[in-house]
Amino acid sequence: MIVYQLTSGTIEHTDVKGGSHLFVRASATQIGRFLDAQQTFRRHLWVPSPGAPVLMGAPTSPAANAAPRRRSGNARNVIGTSLPIYIDLSAASEGHLAILGMTKMGKTTLAARLANRLAATRAVVILDLTGEYVGKRGLPKYVGHEQLEAPGLSVWEILPGELPADKLLKFMRRILAELATPEYQKGDPFPRTLIIDEAHQFIPEPAGIGFNAPGVMNHTKSGY
Ligand SMILES: Nc1ncnc2c1ncn2[C@@H]1O[C@H](COP(=O)(O)OP(=O)(O)OP(=O)(O)O)[C@@H](O)[C@H]1O
Ligand SMILES: [Mg+2]
């Protein structure tokens, strides 16, 4: 069984000889095939056959009865099903993880929960422009390098008027020069996670999209 999540549906009208009729066209995004042994989804790399049956509603799966393999301890289900979703924290820490969602969808709440979990085994620093993590959630402020040398959680607040991209760059350079590079050279780097809330605010503004901006074709010179 391959699970799809409906993303939209429209009722359309078609003319046929001698009359017309309405039909429903649905769009869906593939979630994948649920693997019971691994308790996870794997994408099915092909389209459904034309005419293949589509079943609506909550699919039942042996997964619902099997004892779930608790990775993060925060199992939730794919909406409308009993199929569990996990975040594999060790896999998430090996590379980059983006938490995307509309305003007030719970991005910061999820980030704070992940931070708490990760802080058991690594040094976690949250870069925060909003003041939420210390002010509303009571997390400790970042005060010095020693917090980066043992498991734990701290919040580095970027104050109004400071340039987020500059602060982040300076922070990264310092961590690299004073901690990460020497540790890497010794062959024993300490695990650290950096969480950037409102990450888009840390990307320097492009110089503009008008005339003569870097990366924008100069219309006058190229003769258009
Ligand atoms: N899983 C959840 N279930 C129910 N409510 C939640 C959940 N996660 C967060 N909330 C609530 O939703 C509200 C918004 O959460 P949060 O601040 O984490 O969202 P956000 O996506 O970071 O918002 P913003 O776009 O403003 O940064 C909060 O009141 C929070 O308590
Ligand atoms: Mg937020």
Side-chain angles (χ1 to χ4, degrees), residues 8-220:
S8 69
T10 51
I11 295 176
E12 295 182 13
H13 170 266
T14 181
D15 290 316
V16 288
K17 224 178 183 177
S20 67
H21 66 257
L22 300 175
F23 66 96
V24 176
R25 184 191 299 276
S27 302
T29 304
Q30 192 196 126
I31 299 178
R33 187 189 291 281
F34 191 78
L35 307 177
D36 285 327
Q38 289 92 341
Q39 290 277 295
T40 189
F41 286 95
R42 168 101 14 103
R43 270 183 96 76
H44 181 68
L45 298 175
W46 195 235
V47 293
S49 319
V54 175
L55 308 173
M56 294 282 285
T60 51
S61 156
N65 307 321
R69 204 174 86 195
R70 292 173 76 84
R71 288 185 196 152
S72 72
N74 270 335
R76 293 291 184 271
N77 296 336
V78 176
I79 293 173
T81 79
S82 54
L83 301 171
I85 303 175
Y86 302 93
I87 292 181
D88 183 336
L89 282 183
S90 54
S93 308
E94 279 163 20
H96 303 286
L97 174 72
I99 301 173
L100 308 173
M102 286 186 288
T103 305
K104 300 288 172 227
M105 290 278 275
K107 303 179 291 294
T108 298
T109 305
L110 177 60
R113 293 178 78 163
L114 290 175
N116 269 317
R117 294 279 171 144
L118 292 169
T121 53
R122 19 177 78 234
V124 180
V125 181
I126 301 172
L127 275 104
D128 182 28
L129 298 161
T130 63
E132 270 185 60
Y133 289 87
V134 174
K136 285 200 200 149
R137 294 170 194 269
L139 298 180
K141 279 192 186 184
Y142 172 84
V143 285
H145 267 184
E146 58 285 358
Q147 281 160 298
L148 294 171
E149 292 176 274
L153 174 58
S154 58
V155 181
W156 194 18
E157 295 193 303
I158 293 174
L159 304 173
E162 293 179 333
L163 277 177
D166 276 0
K167 291 283 284 189
L168 176 58
L169 185 63
K170 276 185 200 139
F171 186 63
M172 295 293 283
R173 283 198 171 134
R174 256 175 53 198
I175 299 174
L176 275 172
E178 293 169 27
L179 299 171
T181 307
E183 287 171 4
Y184 183 75
Q185 282 163 349
K186 268 198 281 171
D188 187 22
F190 184 74
R192 300 186 177 91
T193 295
L194 197 59
I195 296 181
I196 307 177
D197 199 302
E198 302 279 336
H200 57 285
Q201 305 271 13
F202 288 78
I203 302 167
E205 288 283 325
I209 48 170
F211 269 166
N212 301 328
V216 174
M217 191 183 287
N218 184 323
H219 290 248
T220 330

